[in-house]
Amino acid sequence: MKKVKTWMKILDIAFDFKDRVNASLGRETSAEWNKRMLKEHFEYLMSLNLQGLHEVLDEIRDIWKSGLYEGFMSSFEERKIISRPLTFKELANNKLATLATANLPVTSLKTISLSKTDLNVFRSMRPLIETTYYLNSGCPFSWDDSLNIAFSGLDARLLSALDRFDQVEEVPELTAEFFQKLGKTQIFDKKTSDFYLTITRLLVDIENEIFGMRFRDFNSDYVPTEGLFIQLLAGCNAVHHNREHIIEEDIVKAYKTFFKLMKTNVTQYKAIHELVQDMDENNPDYSSVLICKSCGDYYKLELDESVDDFESCHCGGELKYLHYEDNE
C-alpha cells in the first residue's frame, strides 16, 4: 500500500475542511470544480482545428470510460520486480540507452527551464514501458521479464516509428546524430506550450475523476512521468521532420503513440538473444544493492557504505536491501 507523506495528509485535511465549508454555504466543491474544468478543457480542445486532435480526444474518452486509463495508472503504482535488478554493466548492452546517455544534455535547471529534451525526459520511457508490460502480465517482473523490457528493442521502435511501432519488424538502428538532434528539440513557443499544458490538465482532470481529489489517492510521480514521455515522443517526431522546435502536431503524434502503446500487449516483444545470452540472474557483477519498492530504482552499495546510511529512496519509497554472494 502506498505510503502517504505527512505534508500530503495535512493538505488533505485542509482541503476536506474547505470542501465541507463550501458545501454548507452552497459554494462549489473541489469535485464540482474538477468536473467544470474537465468540461471546459474538452470543449476548448474540440474547438481547435488540428489534424488528428479529435481522434486523440476520442481515444482519451475511450481509455477513460473503458477503465483502461485507471488500470494503466494503477499498474504504474503496483509494478514490482521479484528478481535482482539489472546491473549497470548489463544495461550497457542496451545501445539505445548508452547513446542517449552519451549524447543527450544532462538534466539541469537550464534544460528544464528551456523545455529541452534532456536525459531526464528520455528516462521517462522505461517506467511507462514497464507499466504497459505489467498491465498485460499482471505479475511482478521475473528475470526474463526484466530482460524483455530492457532488450527487446521496443524502445527503439517507439522512438523511430512512433505510432507505427507495432509495424516495425527489425529493430531500428538509431545513431548518435539522432540523439544529438533530439537533445536540441524543445517546446519553444507559447501556443504549443499552452496546448501541451491543456491536454495535460485534461488528463489530470480525468485522473481526479477516477481516483479523487486528494493527494492520498494517486501517485504523484505518474503525471510528470507521463508528461515527460509525451515530450520525448514529440521531440522524436520533430527530429524526423528536421525541426528543433516541437509544434502542436508533434504533441498529437506523441499522444497517438502513447495510447497505442497502452493498448498493445508488449509482452510479445522478447529480449534479443545475442544481447542477453551471457547474463545470469545468479551471477551479478556486484554483491549488494538497495532497490526501491515504489519506483524500482536501485543503487549499488560501495565498499564503505551500509544500508543504514540510507533512509528512503529519492521518491520517498521504502528501500529493500538485496545481497548476492560474490562468485568471482
Side-chain angles (χ1 to χ4, degrees), residues 3 5 79 126 219 221 290-299 307 309-321:
K3 290 186 177 180
K5 298 177 183 178
R79 71 192 198 284
R126 182 181 129 191
N219 189 315
D221 291 331
L290 293 174
I291 182 168
C292 177
K293 294 183 177 180
S294 296
C295 68
D297 280 354
Y298 62 91
Y299 176 76
V307 63
D309 296 332
F310 302 85
E311 295 182 358
S312 63
C313 177
H314 62 83
C315 74
E318 181 183 354
L319 293 172
K320 179 180 179 180
Y321 174 70

Side-chain angles (χ1 to χ4, degrees), residues 4 8 17 36 69 99 108-109 186 188 220 222 224 241 251 258 262 271 279 288-289 310 319:
V4 182
M8 291 182 176
F17 176 75
R36 180 165 60 84
Y69 199 37
L99 285 171
S108 65
L109 289 176
Q186 63 182 133
F188 181 75
S220 58
Y222 177 78
H241 288 84
I251 304 293
F258 176 44
M262 196 183 295
M279 295 183 190
S288 299
V289 66
F310 302 85
L319 293 172

